[in-house]
Amino acid sequence: MSRTRTALAVAVGAVVALTACTGGGAVPVPAGTPSATATAAAPVEPVVVETVLDGETVDLQVGPLAVHDDAAVLRLAASATYPTLMSAFSFVFESIGSPGPNGVRVVDLDAGTVTRALRTDDDRVVMTRNGTPGGPATDAADEAAGDDVVILYVAFPVPDAATVDVLLPAAGWVPGVPVVSADHAGVLTVPPSELVEGAPVQQDAFTLEAYTEVLGGQVRSRQSAERLEVAVSSDVLFAFDSDQLAPDADGVLQAAAAQVAGHDGGRLTVVGHTDDQGDEAYNLDLSQRRAATVAARMAGLADLAAFDVAVEGRGETQPAVAGSGEAERALNRRVELVLETSGGPEPEEVVEAVGSLPDPQGPVAPGPTGVSVAGDDAFDVRLEQVRRVGRYVVGGLEVTNTGAADLSLGSLSVGAWDSRGSFDPQLQTAPTNVTLVSGGTRLYPVDYRTDPQDDEREPLSDRIVNSIDPGETRLVTVVWPDPGTDTVTVDVAPRFHGSIAGVQIAGRAPFRLTDVPVVDG
């Protein structure tokens, strides 16, 4: 669906002649970026992606990412209509009433971080938008590009790299976008002041986290660069009101031990949790005893010599989910293994397959061939390959609407929840239920916490997949943890929400894509 190549070089003479239009003198250059002086003879080369926007094939220029003091402005340009380009990269929930490229994200998968567009202190996205003031640099850039080219800009924090990867909604993953000074970019950039009134407010990058479920969700793990949390269901570990391990406990504890054993060391805290039934003081004591039992058994299942192990009990004070129904209480009864480490595991150690591959629940075919899904949502879906980058793999599913009406791919999502089960109606058509399966391990799309107070998360994927016309094909980008294999299996399966027992909330159009090749870089 998308093909990336290098754009024609911009003539040095044009860059030098129009540099004054960028409205500034010398600017700081990111570490690792050639200086304007050292590369005066080198033209800026944006990346060009051939993609489909609103049913039309376009050559989309991506980059450069030009540094203006404390903000870096990304250029997007194509011979397309202005409304098409404005709406293609917009995430409506973040900028209601003013479409623009706020859905674009800059990603560093080696560091495990992602950055979103900068905002002003009155919460306006620094991008081409309704009411953008413009100015001399904007006029010069438009004139240089020509009448048939539409240009959009969006600002990000300044990266410490010579190139960045960019995730574009509907257009896919774009690696190697050049980072240059504003002077060097010349007519390929404009200052933030010509995008929005008000200074950009600096923000930190968000840390990516991996979420996996093992053995039907009895073991649930969250992995970031410096922290691993593994939650094991107490209902499979212990009998009611007991701190003695049940006969089937070793299977799930071995799965949990495999998650921890992929690390070189760190501080490992075993934490017991109960539900809210019974006396609070008794529950606290029970949680401490259960944590001690699990810690002792873990030492027999894995070599924990490199870990500083501690045991704690929290009783009923830190529930995993709100509510007092039996489904919620079952999720709250758990023992957690919390590992704090100075860095993540190597790619081949991110996931270790445990258990057997679950039976498919829908049509099955090799990823490069693709499957046809019938039902309320009728579509074809294929995945030619995934790309391994750092501790992750990146895929672009090609989804073609084979029905007679517009397609809104709620069938790829977990409904109005994120993959961990937190309510978020903004994600109702995001591909949060498109998973990788490796043995009995299910890997959900990578995500990142945007609001620690509310536990709000965003998947590293397209966030809105809807309004696909009959016969139209849409590219849907998803990033997963790396299972460390030569091929991957993509699976969309029925899913039931833990706090709504027996009610299916996702996977009404299940399918499986097997033997998807993994390529490096």
Side-chain angles (χ1 to χ4, degrees):
M1 263 301 297
S2 67
R3 182 160 47 87
T4 304
R5 64 182 186 277
T6 302
L8 293 176
V10 178
V12 177
V15 172
V16 174
L18 290 166
T19 294
C21 295
T22 60
V27 296
V29 180
T33 302
S35 68
T37 300
T39 60
V44 178
E45 297 182 345
V47 176
V48 172
V49 177
E50 184 184 274
T51 190
V52 177
L53 300 178
D54 199 20
E56 298 293 331
T57 300
V58 300
D59 284 343
L60 176 68
Q61 296 181 25
V62 183
L65 185 65
V67 177
H68 299 257
D69 296 322
D70 57 356
V73 177
L74 178 70
R75 179 182 185 268
L76 304 169
S79 295
T81 67
Y82 184 75
T84 293
L85 213 57
M86 284 287 279
S87 62
F89 312 124
S90 177
F91 184 54
V92 64
F93 296 108
E94 288 184 357
S95 188
I96 296 174
S98 184
N102 64 315
V104 178
R105 281 160 289 174
V106 170
V107 189
D108 185 341
L109 289 184
D110 289 324
T113 59
V114 57
T115 53
R116 298 191 301 182
L118 291 172
R119 295 173 177 268
T120 62
D121 55 7
D122 58 353
D123 206 34
R124 289 180 297 168
V125 182
V126 184
M127 66 177 181
T128 304
R129 50 183 287 130
N130 295 338
T132 288
T138 302
D139 294 340
D142 290 344
E143 181 178 354
D147 293 338
D148 63 337
V149 176
V150 174
I151 309 174
L152 304 182
Y153 305 94
V154 55
F156 294 91
V158 177
D160 185 18
T163 64
V164 295
D165 291 353
V166 175
L167 175 58
L168 294 171
W173 187 266
V174 185
V177 175
V179 179
V180 300
S181 70
D183 285 343
H184 190 195
V187 292
L188 297 184
T189 192
V190 301
S193 60
E194 294 193 12
L195 301 177
V196 66
E197 295 180 353
V201 176
Q202 292 304 305
Q203 65 178 22
D204 294 329
F206 301 105
T207 300
L208 296 176
E209 296 185 5
Y211 176 67
T212 63
E213 293 182 351
V214 180
L215 304 176
Q218 294 174 335
V219 179
R220 306 180 301 277
S221 65
R222 308 181 185 192
Q223 171 81 62
S224 65
E226 297 182 352
R227 186 178 177 90
L228 170 69
E229 299 178 15
V230 183
V232 185
S233 170
S234 288
D235 289 358
V236 72
L237 292 176
F238 304 101
F240 176 74
D241 198 31
S242 172
D243 62 0
Q244 300 301 304
L245 291 174
D248 296 332
D250 265 9
V252 293
L253 287 181
Q254 285 172 343
Q259 298 280 333
V260 174
H263 295 77
D264 295 331
R267 179 175 176 79
L268 176 64
T269 306
V270 184
V271 186
H273 300 269
T274 68
D275 60 27
D276 60 353
Q277 300 178 90
D279 179 73
E280 183 174 350
Y282 180 83
N283 284 339
L284 178 62
D285 178 68
L286 176 62
S287 69
Q288 291 171 332
R289 288 186 280 120
R290 285 180 167 179
T293 299
V294 168
R297 184 57 186 143
M298 284 281 294
L301 296 173
D303 183 4
L304 302 181
F307 300 93
D308 180 12
V309 181
V311 175
E312 297 180 6
R314 306 281 172 79
E316 61 188 73
T317 62
Q318 294 182 358
V321 297
S324 57
E326 180 48 38
E328 293 95 324
R329 284 170 170 163
L331 288 174
N332 292 333
R333 295 189 294 266
R334 67 203 190 278
V335 176
E336 291 183 335
L337 312 175
V338 181
L339 175 61
E340 297 176 73
T341 177
S342 58
E346 294 301 315
E348 64 271 21
E349 297 175 333
V350 170
V351 176
E352 180 173 329
V354 176
S356 302
L357 190 71
D359 293 333
Q361 301 298 307
V364 181
T369 303
V371 299
S372 294
V373 180
D376 294 338
D377 290 338
F379 56 92
D380 292 344
V381 57
R382 67 183 293 270
L383 179 59
E384 182 176 352
Q385 63 183 28
V386 298
R387 176 184 301 161
R388 176 175 285 124
V389 185
R391 298 190 300 273
Y392 308 95
V393 291
V394 182
L397 293 100
E398 300 172 19
V399 180
T400 303
N401 182 1
T402 58
D406 285 357
L407 177 64
S408 178
L409 275 181
S411 56
L412 298 184
S413 78
V414 188
W417 292 269
D418 65 16
S419 58
R420 288 156 167 76
S422 297
F423 183 74
D424 190 344
Q426 297 181 8
L427 301 178
Q428 291 185 75
T429 63
T432 49
N433 197 35
V434 180
T435 68
L436 300 185
V437 286
S438 180
T441 300
R442 187 176 296 275
L443 296 80
Y444 285 85
V446 172
D447 61 17
Y448 50 97
R449 191 190 303 261
T450 59
D451 188 341
Q453 301 302 318
D454 296 333
D455 198 28
E456 181 178 306
R457 297 177 181 273
E458 294 284 357
L460 190 56
S461 68
D462 283 23
R463 288 181 284 181
I464 298 179
V465 185
N466 63 2
S467 300
I468 305 175
D469 293 333
E472 180 183 335
T473 298
R474 177 75 60 84
L475 184 67
V476 180
T477 303
V478 185
V479 180
W480 298 277
D482 180 13
T485 51
D486 294 332
T487 63
V488 298
T489 297
V490 174
D491 194 61
V492 171
R495 183 176 169 103
F496 302 85
H497 195 266
S499 64
I500 313 176
V503 176
Q504 183 175 340
I505 62 169
R508 301 185 187 280
F511 62 87
R512 179 173 291 178
L513 300 173
T514 64
D515 303 310
V516 180
V518 180
V519 299
D520 290 330

